[in-house]
């Protein structure tokens, strides 16, 4: 007993002396490790914010990670003859630089998500509500990262455990198969659907965070990549019925492409990338994944790529004549042009007098004699979408990461048109499929389609969805290249020919010739005509895995673009078929 008293007295004395010392043993908040950080909800919430931050970097959705797929499709072409030319022509070299930036950004994102998931455990039933939401967001963002990596690079390494980074085997992962990666994407989105609240909860869940509706929408998208149409249809039906939150089409299509709280994160948006509005940004363009400046702009550079040179843009990308002609080929029930043309392309049209902001290019009023403001000296139809060309917000583009319009990655109109596509694949043309399409058309005041127009012809209804309804609704948006791959258009001679015809454009300094009719049949005799799909070779629907990556990682191999492998056998061995080209006028 006496010994115990002496021991306690000694410890008390030491404690007293220690408390009087000037130096305190504290953790430097700027030098924390995985042992000292990530053990509380607040720590993990910071990690979630970091993960969201990575999806708005240059290689993810702030510039090239977004625009590479835009020009991979048949609606947009590289009009600057630099920068995006190799992506437009499917001639990306393994020794290039830009082509690996999406890889860089998405693996940064995956690393953050894997750290979060290493702290949330495997048993969701034991998680608090806050931890469920943290885990759900990490799963959604990781699923989004691998969705993009598979869509661009085909067979990237699948890394799902943070612990593997502690070994060289984890740091230098080998390729996974396309199916293995997509299996994980499906699993991540499906689990996120169960963990996340809906946007109906309000607050941040209606203001930009990933929700169960976000996860459900991307889960359906992923299922459709591998033609799991019946499964995808069930998910899409549940979204439409309100199981994952309340969504509706905005009355005004243009509300999806303006900045500000009145328009962004609206009732049509399943998920969008958050950018700071004009005049609320910092001044520092940060192009790397670090983004450490407290004065970072936190905008995107999509406008800089799309905007005409006359207004300060880089004029890198322009719309194809096919997309413009598609809009002009059909009038609304009141005899006017489709209002989606106004928000998609920057042309002068008599119909725009008195419509929205009128015939405007930034703050300059266009007149009939302008006809069109070409993108640059190579010609090209300016893209208005995700720019302020139509809003009159400013007169000159400040190039760089300054565009404040949130990028809507998935809208409710996509749910409706995908549901119609899946219904057609599963049951053929039905009134239900037609009704979903008409809901989107009605917003644009276009006349209803009639089931009798398709007479049980699933190929014809697919053609209507793929090459009329989707281009008009989503023209010049991310995802067209992903669609062309999942539809198998690269693996069918007639479909490849159709893409060549869609993408033929006139490269000319004569602005009066920009909108002249162009025909692919004249491409050999008319030196001003060009089609990016002419130089496509098998396997190059994907980006090659860059040589600097394979040099640094001895376990990493190339993909079909590296080796010129034809992916048509994979497509057909799965029992998938390419829908034949159908003339909708017949």
């Amino acid at each position: 007993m006496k010994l115990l008293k002496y021991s306690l007295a000694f410890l008390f004395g030491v404690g007293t002396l220690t408390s009087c010392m000037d130096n305190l043993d504290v953790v430097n908040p700027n030098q924390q490790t995985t042992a000292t950080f990530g053990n509380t909800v607040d720590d993990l919430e910071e990690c979630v914010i970091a993960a969201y931050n990575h999806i708005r970097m240059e290689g993810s959705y702030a510039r090239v990670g977004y625009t590479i797929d835009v020009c991979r499709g048949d609606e947009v072409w590289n009009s600057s003859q630099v920068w995006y030319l190799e992506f437009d022509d499917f001639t990306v070299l393994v020794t290039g630089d830009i082509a690996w930036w999406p890889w860089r950004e998405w693996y940064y994102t995956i690393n953050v998500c894997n750290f979060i998931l290493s702290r949330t455990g495997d048993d969701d039933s034991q998680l608090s509500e806050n931890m469920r939401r943290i885990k759900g967001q990490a799963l959604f963002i990781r699923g989004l990262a691998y969705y993009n990596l598979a869509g661009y690079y085909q067979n990237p390494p699948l890394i799902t455990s943070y612990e593997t980074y502690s070994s060289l085997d984890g740091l230098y992962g080998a390729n996974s198969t396309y199916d293995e990666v997509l299996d994980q994407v499906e699993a991540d989105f499906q689990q996120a659907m169960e963990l996340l609240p809906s946007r109906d909860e309000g607050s941040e869940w209606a203001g930009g965070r990933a929700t169960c509706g976000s996860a459900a929408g991307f889960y359906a998208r992923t299922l459709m990549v591998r033609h799991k149409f019946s499964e995808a249809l069930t998910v899409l039906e549940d979204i439409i019925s309100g199981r994952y939150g309340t969504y509706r089409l905005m009355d005004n299509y243009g509300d999806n492409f303006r900045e500000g709280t009145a328009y962004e994160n609206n009732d049509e948006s399943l998920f969008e990338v958050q950018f700071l509005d004009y005049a609320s940004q910092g001044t520092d363009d940060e192009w790397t994944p670090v983004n450490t400046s407290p004065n970072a702009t936190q905008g995107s550079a999509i406008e800089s790529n799309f905007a005409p040179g006359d207004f300060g843009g880089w004029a890198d990308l322009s719309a194809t004549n096919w997309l413009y002609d598609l809009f002009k080929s059909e009038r609304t029930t009141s005899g006017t042009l489709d209002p989606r043309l106004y928000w998609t392309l920057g042309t002068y049209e008599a119909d725009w007098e008195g419509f929205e902001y009128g015939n405007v290019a930034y703050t300059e009023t266009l007149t009939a004699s302008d006809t069109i403001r070409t993108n640059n000296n190579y010609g090209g139809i300016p893209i208005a979408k995700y720019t302020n060309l139509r809003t009159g917000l400013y007169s000159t583009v400040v190039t760089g990461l300054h565009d404040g319009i949130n990028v809507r990655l998935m809208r409710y109109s996509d749910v409706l048109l995908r549901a119609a596509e899946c219904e057609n694949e599963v049951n053929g043309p039905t009134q239900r499929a037609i009704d979903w399409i008409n809901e989107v058309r009605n917003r644009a005041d276009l006349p209803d389609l009639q089931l009798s127009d398709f007479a049980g012809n699933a190929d014809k209804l697919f053609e209507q969805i793929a090459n009329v309804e989707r281009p008009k609704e989503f023209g010049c948006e991310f995802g067209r290249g992903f669609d062309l791959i999942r539809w198998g258009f690269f693996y069918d001679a007639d479909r490849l020919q159709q893409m060549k015809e869609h993408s033929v454009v006139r490269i000319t300094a004569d602005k009066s010739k920009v909108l002249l009719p162009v025909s692919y049949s004249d491409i050999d005799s008319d030196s001003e005509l060009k089609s990016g799909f002419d130089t496509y070779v098998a396997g190059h629907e994907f980006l090659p895995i860059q040589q600097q990556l394979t040099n640094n990682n001895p376990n990493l191999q190339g993909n079909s673009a590296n080796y010129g492998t034809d992916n048509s056998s994979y497509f057909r061995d799965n029992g998938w078929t390419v829908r034949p080209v159908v003339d909708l006028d017949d």
Side-chain angles (χ1 to χ4, degrees), residues 151-214:
Y152 272 153
Y153 301 105
Q154 187 183 28
N155 59 352
L158 186 61
I159 304 171
T160 59
S161 172
Y162 191 75
E163 300 303 321
T164 60
Y165 296 132
S166 63
S167 71
L168 290 179
D169 288 340
L171 286 172
Y172 298 108
N175 304 76
S176 299
T177 68
Y178 188 59
D179 286 314
E180 287 170 341
V181 177
L182 291 177
D183 282 343
Q184 186 64 52
V185 174
E186 288 180 19
D188 282 355
F189 286 144
Q190 192 171 27
Q191 191 175 1
M193 289 162 60
E194 303 302 320
L195 292 170
L196 292 172
S198 79
R199 74 184 318 276
D200 294 350
E201 183 143 330
S203 186
E204 291 180 305
W205 303 103
R209 286 185 182 263
T211 64
C212 60
S214 310

Side-chain angles (χ1 to χ4, degrees), residues 480-542:
R480 180 69 176 180
F482 281 66
D483 283 341
L484 297 179
I485 291 173
R486 71 178 178 86
W487 289 330
F489 282 11
F490 290 93
Y491 316 131
D492 178 87
D494 290 339
R495 284 297 185 184
L496 186 57
Q497 178 64 25
Q498 184 186 58
M499 292 191 295
K500 291 178 180 180
E501 294 169 359
H502 286 176
S503 63
V504 66
V505 293
R506 182 176 297 283
I507 303 174
T508 178
D510 185 349
K511 296 184 179 184
S512 68
K513 298 171 68 176
V514 170
L515 288 179
L516 290 178
V518 294
S519 174
Y520 186 79
S521 61
D522 297 328
I523 201 164
D524 290 333
S525 59
D526 189 335
S527 61
E528 289 186 336
L529 296 183
K530 169 190 181 292
S531 178
F533 287 84
D534 271 344
T535 46
Y536 165 77
V537 295
H540 284 260
E541 64 272 24
F542 294 101

Side-chain angles (χ1 to χ4, degrees), residues 210-246:
T211 64
C212 60
S214 310
F218 273 90
Y219 180 47
R221 276 188 177 180
T222 310
L223 291 169
M224 292 176 72
V225 170
R226 291 188 289 178
H227 294 219
K228 299 179 182 181
F229 297 114
S230 182
E231 295 174 57
L233 180 59
T234 298
V235 178
L236 295 164
E237 288 171 332
D238 285 343
I239 298 174
I240 293 168
S241 70
R243 177 177 177 180
Y244 299 110
T246 305

Side-chain angles (χ1 to χ4, degrees), residues 472-484:
K472 286 185 178 182
E473 181 67 19
F474 306 112
C476 306
E477 294 182 48
F478 179 89
R480 180 69 176 180
F482 281 66
D483 283 341
L484 297 179

Side-chain angles (χ1 to χ4, degrees), residues 2 158 311 339 364 432 434 577:
K2 186 180 292 186
L158 186 61
F311 299 98
E364 180 177 326
R432 188 165 71 148
I434 297 297
T577 58

Side-chain angles (χ1 to χ4, degrees), residues 124-164:
D124 294 346
S125 67
Q126 299 301 309
L127 297 177
S128 67
E129 191 63 26
N130 284 340
M131 288 293 280
R132 286 174 60 85
R133 294 177 176 190
I134 286 170
K135 183 175 184 178
Q137 289 172 94
L139 286 165
F140 173 81
I141 296 171
R142 187 175 72 178
L144 183 65
Y146 274 121
Y147 177 84
N148 279 273
L149 285 168
Y152 272 153
Y153 301 105
Q154 187 183 28
N155 59 352
L158 186 61
I159 304 171
T160 59
S161 172
Y162 191 75
E163 300 303 321
T164 60

